[in-house]
Every structure is written in structure tokens, then in C-alpha cells.
């Protein structure tokens, strides 16, 4: 059996800049609640 969680079961949010959904990434594990934008480009655009 594979380890981990299926991609469809990961939490997701909507980016307020581009209004596209983005899913949880391992590098955001500690501060997922503080993540607002899907990328640096969207963060700078807003």
C-alpha cells in the first residue's frame, strides 16, 4: 500500500488574486493557516 494521502484528499484554498484553487504543499505544512496566495507572483500582483 502506498504511504501518504491521495492528492484529491489534500486541503485546498482559493487564491484571492487569480481566483484559482491551490492545494496543500509539504513546505506549507507548518503555516498552512497563514498561506493566502498560490504563488509569489500572485502575492506581488495583489
Amino acid at each position: 500500500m502506498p504511504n501518504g494521502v491521495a492528492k484529491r484528499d489534500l486541503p485546498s484554498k482559493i487564491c484571492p488574486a487569480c481566483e484559482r484553487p491551490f492545494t496543500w504543499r509539504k513546505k506549507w505544512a507548518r503555516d498552512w493557516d497563514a498561506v493566502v496566495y498560490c504563488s509569489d507572483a500572485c502575492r506581488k500582483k495583489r
Side-chain angles (χ1 to χ4, degrees):
M1 280 178 72
N3 293 338
V5 178
K7 286 189 179 186
R8 68 177 182 272
D9 296 333
L10 292 173
S12 64
K13 295 182 180 182
I14 304 293
C15 177
C18 65
E19 299 188 4
R20 293 185 198 168
F22 64 98
T23 56
W24 182 91
R25 295 184 190 171
K26 183 157 179 121
K27 72 177 192 175
W28 292 335
R30 284 183 280 149
D31 60 346
W32 175 244
D33 293 333
V35 174
V36 177
Y37 299 105
C38 64
S39 65
D40 287 337
C42 281
R43 185 171 42 85
K44 290 176 184 175
K45 182 170 57 170
R46 203 57 172 160

